[in-house]
Amino acid sequence: QVPLVESGGGLVQPGGSLRLSCAASQYTLDHYAIGWFRQAPGKEREGVSCGSSIVINDGGTTYADAVKGRFIISRDSAKNTVYLQMNNMKPEDTAVYYCAANTNLFSSCVLSRSGYNMWGQGTQVTVSS
């Protein structure tokens, strides 16, 4: 089994909302920093948002400038799931979205690919009229 599985991608109109989920079966995600990344065709994978471990880092969050005020990362500990709520979506949000985990205990998050060692397979998000 893959360590992380994204879901919730799809087609949404500009200004609409979409919620992505990142679920794990072998890890307790509350222990780890979790990041959301995206990759558009022909572009590098970029960090979107991340949340630090909620064990000792109080779940502090970080957002890329492009999504501040529109996207929210959150956790549902009971479901062992991390969400990315995307609001007021724009065409430039179109990309494959990935979740990632840093399995170093109690890690803090960074918006850099090198900060994560477990990755999901991605889910397509398309923003178009």
Side-chain angles (χ1 to χ4, degrees), residues 38-40 42-46 113:
R38 66 187 182 188
Q39 188 166 20
K43 298 184 65 177
E44 296 292 318
R45 192 172 301 182
E46 64 178 357
R113 294 183 64 183

Side-chain angles (χ1 to χ4, degrees), residues 78-119:
K79 295 182 180 295
N80 198 30
T81 300
V82 177
Y83 301 101
L84 183 67
Q85 178 68 46
M86 304 184 291
N87 300 313
N88 190 25
M89 298 191 71
K90 304 176 180 180
E92 50 263 46
D93 295 323
T94 296
V96 177
Y97 283 70
Y98 302 85
C99 66
N102 180 347
T103 58
N104 290 306
L105 289 176
F106 319 134
S107 51
S108 58
C109 77
V110 294
L111 293 180
S112 173
R113 294 183 64 183
S114 63
Y116 303 88
N117 61 321
M118 292 289 180
W119 292 84

